[in-house]
Amino acid sequence: MGKIMLSRTNEYINGLREYGIYIDDVKVGVIRNGETKEFEVAPGTHTIYAKIDWCYSPTRPFYIAGEEVVPFNVGSFIGSERLRKLSKWIGPFFIGILILQPVLRATIHFDNLLYYIFPLTLPLFLVMVYYFSIGRKRYLSLNETTLQLTA
């Protein structure tokens, strides 16, 4: 039997939620934030995808020969490390702005600070609406990676 080695990135988004792992449309287990798991798979051609609620990753075909180990990486739609780091600060930034709004309104004399913040939040809101609706099949990313051997 071959194996799938699946590593989930450690992320702020969906950090407390589990991803269901499906091989050949059968749920074989779940993976938590930052976890690495192995699943046994018979030799041959198979498909794999990850799912969370109504959102999931694209289905990826793969081939296993004999005792081979095929590594995959799964994470949210925020694929690059740069965007992952940015996502940790977006929520706290906007919450801070909302909390500071009365102080800023009194000192800077903005009538409504949210009027100026709205153009900054609209693109983020539209991205989230896309991934929760028509982009739900790409909400998670699942990619085959290279196996890193440690000595």
Side-chain angles (χ1 to χ4, degrees), residues 34-134:
E35 196 172 43
T36 298
K37 280 194 171 180
E38 290 186 355
F39 301 98
E40 287 192 356
V41 180
T45 303
H46 302 279
T47 59
I48 185 171
Y49 66 91
K51 184 175 180 183
I52 184 171
D53 298 332
W54 66 91
C55 301
Y56 43 99
S57 71
T59 301
R60 301 282 185 221
F62 65 94
Y63 179 79
I64 287 193
E67 299 291 320
E68 184 180 11
V69 177
V70 179
F72 282 92
N73 190 29
V74 65
S76 70
F77 65 90
I78 301 176
S80 72
E81 187 64 31
R82 184 183 215 174
L83 287 174
R84 261 188 235 118
K85 288 180 182 179
L86 179 63
S87 73
K88 291 182 180 184
W89 295 102
I90 290 174
F93 172 75
F94 286 114
I95 290 171
I97 293 291
L98 290 174
I99 291 171
L100 290 175
Q101 183 181 2
V103 173
L104 293 174
R105 186 183 300 163
T107 58
I108 303 175
H109 303 294
F110 278 132
D111 289 335
N112 189 356
L113 187 60
L114 292 178
Y115 176 77
Y116 299 99
I117 298 296
F118 180 74
L120 298 174
T121 60
L122 185 61
L124 177 64
F125 176 74
L126 293 176
V127 166
M128 294 305 293
V129 166
Y130 168 76
Y131 279 109
F132 288 142
S133 58
I134 60 175

Side-chain angles (χ1 to χ4, degrees), residues 6-19:
L6 189 63
S7 298
R8 180 173 165 187
T9 54
N10 191 4
E11 301 173 318
Y12 177 75
I13 189 168
N14 300 322
L16 299 176
R17 302 167 67 198
E18 298 174 335
Y19 296 169

